[in-house]
């Protein structure tokens, strides 16, 4: 399996499936397509008749694009990794939150671009403060849920943590505040060896993207 991604420092959508595969121990090769530096992503997307976006997962016989579709494909193909929680109720909650992340939080995503290697305190706008409040509500809902022990949203690591992984970098690196439940989750995410591996690679990149630097 081959995962196509973009800049580790900036590409929030790339981080999601990459992290899920690393934490689950699913072997894969990766290729980075730096979309603002050269035309490698344009060529790749033309070859596969896809929008010029990553992540894309290519298996022996399938092309799967879009972060959430890749996470669903992995959960189906590797049931032993339990990338969705076992309990139906918890799975429904995890899927709801993951879908909300995929389609929502536009103020947080647009005004606070993921930038793993840069720490800089920035005051949230009103719209971003609302997104942060919504995160606190989601975290409170998971706290109240009937779930196995563990520091992640549904107890053990699952796709919902992967979907929110870039939010950990945003909140941490811009000095934003959500809730103490969020902070506990964020620390567990930060401490994942795979997150540290991603951070080391992000720091080693030399590409700069002014639009992602606040
Ligand atoms: N909905 C897509 C969004 C993917 C996306 O926006 N990817 C960005 C990188 S984080 C991209 O490929 N951008 C290419 C460009 O801006 O040219 C997903 O969830 O996979």
């Amino acid at each position: 399996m081959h995962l196509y991604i973009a800049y580790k420092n900036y590409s929030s959508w790339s981080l999601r499936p990459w992290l899920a595969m690393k934490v689950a121990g699913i072997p894969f090769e990766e290729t980075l397509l730096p979309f603002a530096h050269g035309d490698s992503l344009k060529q790749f997307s033309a070859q596969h008749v896809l929008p010029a976006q990553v992540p894309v997962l290519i298996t022996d016989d399938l092309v799967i694009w879009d972060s959430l579709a890749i996470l669903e494909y992995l959960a189906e193909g590797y049931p032993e990794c339990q990338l969705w929680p076992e309990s139906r109720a918890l799975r429904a909650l995890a899927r709801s939150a993951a879908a909300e992340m995929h389609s929502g939080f536009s103020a947080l995503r647009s005004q606070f671009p993921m930038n793993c290697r840069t720490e800089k305190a920035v005051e949230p706008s009103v719209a971003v403060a609302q997104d942060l409040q919504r995160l606190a509500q989601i975290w409170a809902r998971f706290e109240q849920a009937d779930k196995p022990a563990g520091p992640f949203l549904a107890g053990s690591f699952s796709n919902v943590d992967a979907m929110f992984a870039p939010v950990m970098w945003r909140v941490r690196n811009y000095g934003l505040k959500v809730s103490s439940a969020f902070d506990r989750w964020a620390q567990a995410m930060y401490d994942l060896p795979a997150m540290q591996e991603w951070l080391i690679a992000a720091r080693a990149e030399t590409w700069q993207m002014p639009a992602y630097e606040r």
Side-chain angles (χ1 to χ4, degrees):
M1 269 196 308
H2 205 121
L3 184 67
Y4 292 83
I5 57 172
Y7 312 89
K8 287 191 170 152
N9 192 47
Y10 302 116
S11 180
S12 58
W13 295 109
S14 299
L15 169 58
R16 294 165 164 111
W18 186 96
L19 185 68
M21 290 171 91
K22 284 278 172 174
V23 175
I26 299 168
F28 66 102
E29 290 173 85
E30 64 184 78
T31 295
L32 200 148
L33 304 171
F35 55 82
H37 301 84
D39 64 355
S40 58
L41 178 57
K42 260 195 197 141
Q43 284 189 19
F44 172 83
S45 55
Q47 183 193 343
H48 293 286
V49 196
L50 290 174
Q53 287 190 340
V54 282
V56 176
L57 182 69
I58 300 198
T59 71
D60 286 344
D61 52 356
L62 293 173
V63 175
I64 305 124
W65 68 97
D66 194 291
S67 53
L68 200 47
I70 296 170
L71 292 176
E72 289 290 0
Y73 174 81
L74 296 170
E76 260 181 31
Y78 298 86
E80 68 283 7
C81 297
Q82 298 207 324
L83 281 168
W84 289 120
E86 204 176 351
S87 129
R88 193 176 185 208
L90 196 54
R91 199 162 63 242
L93 174 58
R95 278 205 167 110
S96 299
E100 186 176 342
M101 178 70 249
H102 195 253
S103 61
F105 297 98
S106 60
L108 180 64
R109 279 176 19 213
S110 60
Q111 295 174 35
F112 287 79
M114 187 180 90
N115 186 330
C116 298
R117 63 178 172 239
T118 306
E119 290 186 38
K120 180 181 184 186
V122 180
E123 278 300 308
S125 65
V126 172
V128 170
Q130 280 168 358
D131 278 351
L132 298 174
Q133 222 175 9
R134 179 60 196 146
L135 286 173
Q137 288 170 352
I138 292 173
W139 260 251
R141 198 178 273 260
F142 275 100
E143 287 262 291
Q144 288 153 16
D146 185 10
K147 60 175 185 176
F152 299 102
L153 276 166
S156 47
F157 183 93
S158 73
N159 276 342
V160 69
D161 302 297
M163 280 306 285
F164 281 101
V167 170
M168 188 284 286
W169 290 116
R170 290 176 162 111
V171 169
R172 181 185 182 95
N173 285 2
Y174 293 110
L176 302 172
K177 299 270 173 292
V178 177
S179 67
S180 48
F182 182 96
D183 289 345
R184 287 192 293 277
W185 169 86
Q187 191 60 51
M189 290 292 282
Y190 183 79
D191 290 343
L192 283 170
M195 269 309 220
Q196 290 303 311
E197 183 183 334
W198 181 272
L199 177 60
I200 288 165
R203 284 185 175 142
E205 289 175 356
T206 52
W207 296 291
Q208 290 283 335
M209 300 213 21
Y212 289 66
E213 300 287 341
R214 282 209 52 167

